Amino acid sequence: MNSERPTPAGQSGTTHFGFRTVDEQEKAGKVAEVFHSVAQRYDVMNDLMSGGMHRLWKSFTIGRANVRPGMRVLDIAGGTGDLALAFAAKVGPTGQVWHTDINSSMLQVGRDRLIDKGVLLPTVVCDAEHLPFPDEFFDVVTVAFGLRNMTHKDQALQQMQRVLKPGGKLLVLEFSRVAAPLAPAYDWYSFKILPWLGKKVANDEDSYRYLAESIRMHPDQETLAQMMRDAGLPRVNYFNLTAGVVALHEGVKLF
């Protein structure tokens, strides 16, 4: 599938939307269209696409977060609220969990789900590249399957570092670079089966083709780890999950 990748965008003011090169000003709107389209079927599609594995990946992330009573947690690109719900149970009545997403449709689905479970959290439409929170406000910041959709990932990571307290932890759960022996089968699944599932289940083939493309354009494990260090998180570790289909990057702010 490497032959399908475009020449990297080199000129100023452009970025990638899947394999396409677009103006930076266009990307946010195009990503928004994707998630407005898939919001109502998002959880069902996640279960189908991953065979339920996304629940294990998120459970591992929750365990590594080590959230305790009284902590403040920021969940970025929180979508349908899986992580926010789990963290709310851990911080208890003395803590805070902020459930945020740049996409109002995703956020509404998550908010309704949380309310249905009797959990009321601050729910905010929020751009990760311009976080509306004070410096050193949160003990833990998480972003699950959202970083690859951001136009300026370096800026978003700097913002996440800014709002973390010294000793705080950033956790980035994201699709990553699969182990080389599995790459041909993974490419076949990604570019043949995912769009087909999207068409049959969510009536949206294009959004799931974008998903497959956006994964290939996302930084690999080592590149993302260095980006987090460059953002001011000197202690970075990552864990490959399911042979690198997904990786959890963990960065600690030291001062």
Side-chain angles (χ1 to χ4, degrees), residues 5 57 145 148 172-179 186-187 190 212 214-225 238-249:
R5 297 179 186 176
W57 300 331
F145 304 111
R148 76 180 186 284
V172 180
L173 181 66
E174 189 54 89
F175 293 108
S176 199
R177 197 61 48 86
V178 71
Y186 184 54
D187 281 348
S190 298
S214 70
I215 292 169
R216 271 63 182 184
M217 303 309 295
H218 186 66
D220 63 18
Q221 289 90 328
E222 285 293 342
T223 302
L224 180 54
Y238 65 83
F239 305 87
N240 282 319
L241 308 177
T242 317
V245 169
V246 166
L248 174 65
H249 283 68

Side-chain angles (χ1 to χ4, degrees), residues 73-255:
V73 180
L74 172 62
D75 186 24
I76 294 172
T80 55
D82 288 346
L83 296 186
L85 182 64
F87 290 141
K90 291 180 178 295
V91 303
T94 60
Q96 294 180 12
V97 177
W98 288 76
H99 172 228
T100 73
D101 202 297
I102 197 171
N103 187 275
S104 59
S105 296
M106 292 291 293
L107 200 63
Q108 182 175 341
V109 170
R111 180 203 61 191
D112 292 348
R113 180 184 179 195
L114 291 166
I115 291 173
D116 287 345
K117 292 182 178 293
V119 178
L120 298 178
L121 301 178
T123 299
V124 181
V125 174
C126 181
D127 181 353
E129 297 178 18
H130 306 278
L131 292 175
F133 301 104
D135 294 355
E136 301 183 356
F137 190 72
F138 293 100
D139 299 284
V140 174
V141 176
T142 59
V143 54
F145 304 111
L147 184 66
R148 76 180 186 284
N149 296 311
M150 297 176 191
T151 304
H152 303 103
K153 297 176 181 63
D154 53 350
Q155 183 174 327
L157 290 170
Q158 290 165 11
Q159 284 287 294
M160 296 174 205
Q161 185 273 154
R162 178 184 65 78
V163 301
L164 271 176
K165 296 178 181 179
K169 185 182 291 186
L170 169 63
L171 294 156
V172 180
L173 181 66
E174 189 54 89
F175 293 108
S176 199
R177 197 61 48 86
V178 71
L182 300 180
Y186 184 54
D187 281 348
W188 175 82
Y189 174 78
S190 298
F191 290 96
K192 298 296 184 183
I193 302 302
L194 287 189
W196 179 84
L197 276 175
K199 182 178 181 179
K200 295 297 183 182
V201 177
N203 195 31
D204 189 344
E205 181 177 356
D206 290 344
S207 290
Y208 287 91
R209 183 174 294 107
Y210 162 74
L211 168 64
E213 293 176 358
S214 70
I215 292 169
R216 271 63 182 184
M217 303 309 295
H218 186 66
D220 63 18
Q221 289 90 328
E222 285 293 342
T223 302
L224 180 54
Q226 188 58 50
M227 290 174 67
M228 291 173 67
R229 295 183 190 105
D230 292 343
L233 298 164
R235 187 182 298 170
V236 178
N237 191 20
Y238 65 83
F239 305 87
N240 282 319
L241 308 177
T242 317
V245 169
V246 166
L248 174 65
H249 283 68
E250 179 181 288
V252 176
K253 182 173 179 176
L254 298 183
F255 54 86

Side-chain angles (χ1 to χ4, degrees), residues 55-87:
R55 299 177 185 275
L56 298 178
W57 300 331
K58 291 172 183 173
S59 179
F60 181 74
T61 303
I62 292 162
R64 292 297 307 180
N66 194 28
V67 169
R68 299 184 299 278
M71 281 187 167
R72 287 181 183 155
V73 180
L74 172 62
D75 186 24
I76 294 172
T80 55
D82 288 346
L83 296 186
L85 182 64
F87 290 141

Side-chain angles (χ1 to χ4, degrees), residues 46-60:
N46 278 352
D47 280 331
L48 289 173
M49 288 187 303
S50 70
M53 289 296 294
H54 75 102
R55 299 177 185 275
L56 298 178
W57 300 331
K58 291 172 183 173
S59 179
F60 181 74

